Amino acid sequence: MKKNARLLYLLTVWTFFIPFFSIASSRLADDETPAAASPSVTYVLSMPEPQTHYFEVEMQLKNMATATNAKKNGYIDIKMPVWTPGSYLIREYARNVQGFTATTGGKPLKSEKISKNTWRITTPASTDDNLTIRYRVYANELTVRTSFVDADHGYVTPASMFMYHDALRNIPLRVVVQPYKTWKNVATALEPVAGQTFTYEATDFDLLVDSPIEIGNHHTFTFTASNVPHSVAMFGEVDYDEKRLAADYKRVCEAAATVIGEHPCKHYTFIVHHIPSGGGGLEHLNSTTLETSRNAYATEANYKGFLTLVAHEYFHLWNVKRIRPVALGPFNYEAENYTHMLWLSEGGTSFYEDYILRRAGFHTPETYLNIVGIDITNIENQPGSRVQSAAESSWDAWIKEYRPNENSANTTISYYSKGSVLGTLLNLAILAGSNGERSLDDLMRFLYAEYYKKQKRGFADEEFRQAAEQIAGRSLDDFFTIGVNSAEPINYNTYFEPVGLRLVNVAGKTQDGFLGAATTVSNGKATIASVRRGSGAYTGGLNVGDEIISVDSVRVGDDLLRLIGGRRAGETIKVLVNRGGFLREIPVTLTQNPLASYRLEPLPNVSPAQKALYNKWLFIK
């Protein structure tokens, strides 16, 4: 064909088909609505003036209108958590938030607080489908459960930093960290986004909350344990042998992994803050934050203490983060999450911290037995152990564990310390009940397999008891009725006799009198800090806050114990105190010293079966 003829032909054919294309297009429009884009949440975290202790957060919500009912309701509510999992106290993180604003398409939206931790943003029908929220967070408390930033580094506890919308909690999230201009490093267990510097993603808000972030110029070293890569971010000027420390981390981690026999992490991150004094830790799904003294590596005793902290927080990646009571996840971030089982979740982990160090070879059998004796001594010497059960202590963690007062020792027992002893006893009960075939390890493996992996949930109190008795092969009524759910005395030797031991109080009984008032001394003044229930000071009426002036007319400075020493139980002394500016003379009758000191000793004529069970218990080949 010639060119003109060909063009005329094509135009004729195209004109013929246009109506058919129009009809098809119309049908597509009538029958199919294009799918709405999925909502997304991105947080941009910056700290342009770290010396002021402020983080700045930009929360970008895209395609959010449908998921949040923003246009239907005319508003959306954005919330800040009030606590962080693993630290059972309402901390009111919203108190540190300032300058909350919301915009859409660059235009401001009205917002107001409607509760202590909730901001309501007005979203008219004309509101764009994308929303940008900005706020600042004051962060000047360096603990494992709060956020902190200064001229040296930044640390983020996500629950105290990032807000959420209820309908968007289960969607993937991103966090873009913009470090201060001279900072080069970020440490977190969040997954990095390929090709995007300091950009991370989480499958949902729960994982974000469970992934702390360290920002600064910290040093990082790595090691592999159980075929899993581990990294350690070290903040603070401190002397340590990196090669030895990495090797010992590996020993602890691999010993911990033998309990369950499976490591669930693709990678694991330690964030370690070296501070002037104090210490502690907080567990997370694939990481932990540890705080320890700058002298942590200076002596063997300090070093063992630090490894104990490592073992405790690391074992939580199984116990609490995956093996958990049903109350501990999914979480309500706006209120208390109650459980009777913190004696297992926290106290059981305290049991395992030393048991792990024993199986890793850091503790000798003798050292481990000494630790068990000290643990029992500590709870038996606390009057509150006869008032509060381990289950009650767990339930009341929210109002008592983190808010102690001068009378707490008289009325409470820590689920950490009581739970650690109960872990020892339950381990022994299972060993004895199964003739050494099973131990507490087997119970933890069962819980991991049945509830975490198979049913993908936590367990109820009764389900835990049923599992324990199934593994032990016998009733554990005494353990649960007396040990867990009451404040009655425990018959310890029923647990220790099967391994050829007995618990003995080696505190010598003397006729020396016992006052029962602990004092603090400042500028030569002795002030009562606590009074022990049942003591002479308690029944006689000495009060916390009293300044002790004299005993039997002899002036007291920093030598109260010397003045009491040598007095006999049953003897009455006259104590002159300054109470609120008034002098009072109070007669106090001294009592016998009630403090015990327990030690495990071998029974005479130990049988081969007892010896075999002892060796099994303490990993003696």
Side-chain angles (χ1 to χ4, degrees):
M1 283 184 197
K2 292 184 179 180
K3 184 176 181 182
N4 289 344
R6 186 179 181 188
L7 179 59
L8 180 61
Y9 172 79
L10 290 174
L11 287 172
T12 303
V13 172
W14 177 250
T15 302
F16 176 79
F17 278 105
I18 282 177
F20 294 94
F21 284 122
S22 299
I23 293 170
S25 176
S26 175
R27 287 176 178 169
L28 177 63
D30 291 340
D31 297 341
E32 297 182 20
T33 301
S38 298
S40 69
V41 179
T42 298
Y43 302 92
V44 180
L45 178 72
S46 60
M47 56 235 69
E49 297 179 302
Q51 75 280 3
T52 66
H53 310 297
Y54 277 96
F55 284 104
E56 297 187 2
V57 180
E58 180 176 291
M59 182 180 180
Q60 302 169 357
L61 283 68
K62 295 185 178 181
N63 308 313
M64 58 82 193
T66 301
T68 62
N69 286 325
K71 294 183 180 180
K72 178 181 178 181
N73 295 333
Y75 66 85
I76 65 168
D77 290 341
I78 303 297
K79 302 177 181 181
M80 174 71 86
V82 303
W83 71 289
T84 193
S87 183
Y88 307 99
L89 179 69
I90 300 299
R91 298 189 178 275
E92 311 295 16
Y93 292 128
R95 64 193 171 91
N96 290 319
V97 174
Q98 298 175 22
F100 184 98
T101 64
T103 60
T104 181
K107 298 178 181 179
L109 294 173
K110 178 185 175 182
S111 64
E112 61 179 340
K113 288 191 76 173
I114 61 169
S115 73
K116 65 181 181 179
N117 69 313
T118 306
W119 285 258
R120 176 162 289 177
I121 302 168
T122 301
T123 53
S126 59
T127 302
D128 189 77
D129 204 15
N130 301 327
L131 193 66
T132 299
I133 298 165
R134 294 182 178 89
Y135 56 92
R136 306 173 76 206
V137 177
Y138 183 70
N140 194 26
E141 185 181 1
L142 183 58
T143 73
V144 297
R145 50 196 173 267
T146 53
S147 292
F148 177 84
V149 64
D150 69 359
D152 295 325
H153 76 127
Y155 173 72
V156 174
T157 294
S160 72
M161 189 62 53
F162 300 120
M163 297 189 186
Y164 66 95
H165 186 283
D166 281 325
L168 304 178
R169 276 186 52 176
N170 297 318
I171 69 170
L173 311 169
R174 282 198 174 186
V175 177
V176 180
V177 181
Q178 297 177 343
Y180 180 60
K181 59 186 178 181
T182 60
W183 296 350
K184 308 299 182 185
N185 300 327
V186 174
T188 181
L190 290 170
E191 292 290 342
V193 176
Q196 300 186 40
T197 305
F198 299 141
T199 301
Y200 306 91
E201 57 189 2
T203 54
D204 51 38
F205 187 74
D206 286 341
L207 183 58
L208 173 60
V209 167
D210 227 359
S211 305
I213 306 169
E214 174 70 19
I215 311 156
N217 292 317
H218 50 268
H219 173 66
T220 300
F221 66 86
T222 62
F223 64 94
T224 299
S226 304
N227 297 316
V228 174
H230 292 62
S231 66
V232 184
M234 304 279 278
F235 168 76
E237 296 295 327
V238 63
D239 292 327
Y240 61 96
D241 182 337
E242 182 176 311
K243 184 175 180 180
R244 179 192 180 190
L245 192 56
D248 288 344
Y249 265 103
K250 179 182 176 70
R251 285 174 63 187
V252 170
C253 294
E254 291 190 336
T258 63
V259 176
I260 304 302
E262 175 180 303
H263 203 298
C265 302
K266 293 191 298 182
H267 52 78
Y268 192 88
T269 300
F270 289 94
I271 297 172
V272 188
H273 294 152
H274 298 90
I275 57 179
S277 61
L282 189 63
E283 71 275 6
H284 299 283
L285 191 70
N286 303 303
S287 64
T288 186
T289 301
L290 309 177
E291 281 192 348
T292 189
S293 164
R294 293 170 187 159
N295 297 319
Y297 318 111
T299 67
E300 281 301 307
N302 289 357
Y303 190 64
K304 289 281 183 68
F306 174 70
L307 292 181
T308 301
L309 175 63
V310 171
H312 181 104
E313 300 304 335
Y314 191 74
F315 189 67
H316 269 314
L317 78 87
W318 291 279
N319 193 28
V320 169
K321 301 316 300 183
R322 291 168 175 87
I323 303 169
R324 59 176 178 81
V326 70
L328 298 186
F331 295 108
N332 178 354
Y333 293 109
E334 295 191 86
E336 296 86 349
N337 291 226
Y338 290 102
T339 174
H340 291 108
M341 297 289 290
L342 291 181
W343 69 265
L344 173 73
S345 297
E346 291 291 351
T349 305
S350 292
F351 155 73
Y352 266 110
E353 67 188 33
D354 287 305
Y355 208 43
I356 287 167
L357 261 60
R358 167 62 205 130
R359 69 177 78 197
F362 289 103
H363 291 329
T364 65
E366 294 73 23
T367 299
Y368 181 74
L369 292 181
N370 185 54
I371 290 170
V372 172
I374 291 172
D375 286 347
I376 294 173
T377 298
N378 287 340
I379 66 168
E380 290 300 319
N381 281 340
Q382 185 157 326
S385 67
R386 295 292 172 266
V387 177
Q388 186 185 53
S389 71
E392 291 169 335
S393 175
S394 301
W395 191 264
D396 279 344
W398 298 92
I399 58 173
K400 294 186 177 183
E401 177 69 20
Y402 291 93
R403 290 183 174 135
N405 60 30
E406 68 279 358
N407 197 44
S408 293
N410 289 327
T411 60
T412 67
I413 192 69
S414 169
Y415 49 78
Y416 284 94
S417 54
K418 182 69 174 286
S420 179
V421 170
L422 290 175
T424 297
L425 301 184
L426 182 56
N427 189 33
L428 289 168
I430 295 173
L431 280 164
S434 65
N435 294 318
E437 293 298 317
R438 293 178 295 279
S439 70
L440 185 56
D441 289 3
D442 294 278
L443 174 56
M444 301 303 283
R445 290 176 192 136
F446 174 84
L447 297 172
Y448 179 82
E450 178 64 23
Y451 293 103
Y452 168 65
K453 298 198 72 177
K454 181 180 177 181
Q455 299 195 40
K456 303 186 186 306
R457 65 175 178 89
F459 46 81
D461 295 12
E462 187 57 34
E463 288 174 326
F464 173 78
R465 175 169 179 166
Q466 291 170 357
E469 293 183 332
Q470 176 182 325
I471 297 298
R474 66 182 180 91
S475 169
L476 296 174
D477 187 62
D478 274 357
F479 175 81
F480 285 99
T481 301
I482 303 299
V484 174
N485 295 311
S486 86
E488 297 177 34
I490 295 172
N491 185 351
Y492 291 104
N493 282 325
T494 61
Y495 296 91
F496 290 113
E497 285 173 1
V499 292
L501 297 174
R502 63 184 174 190
L503 188 70
V504 179
N505 180 9
V506 295
K509 290 187 177 181
T510 69
Q511 295 301 312
D512 289 348
F514 179 79
L515 178 61
T519 61
T520 59
V521 178
S522 177
N523 298 323
K525 297 180 179 181
T527 303
I528 297 177
S530 63
V531 178
R532 180 184 175 89
R533 182 189 294 272
S535 68
Y538 187 89
T539 57
L542 293 180
N543 290 351
V544 170
D546 286 348
E547 177 196 345
I548 300 181
I549 305 296
S550 66
V551 173
D552 286 342
S553 300
V554 178
R555 183 77 170 88
V556 171
D558 58 2
D559 55 354
L560 176 62
L561 291 179
R562 182 181 63 80
L563 295 177
I564 301 298
R567 305 298 182 101
R568 298 294 185 183
E571 184 177 341
T572 299
I573 60 175
K574 295 179 179 179
V575 183
L576 181 67
V577 303
N578 170 13
R579 181 179 294 171
F582 294 94
L583 297 180
R584 300 188 183 197
E585 187 173 74
I586 300 173
V588 175
T589 300
L590 302 177
T591 60
Q592 190 170 1
N593 191 335
L595 300 179
S597 178
Y598 288 102
R599 183 173 70 198
L600 287 167
E601 296 180 347
L603 289 168
N605 305 315
V606 173
S607 70
Q610 288 173 309
K611 182 65 174 176
L613 206 58
Y614 176 90
N615 291 343
K616 177 84 172 181
W617 176 41
L618 296 182
F619 307 102
I620 298 173
K621 302 298 183 181

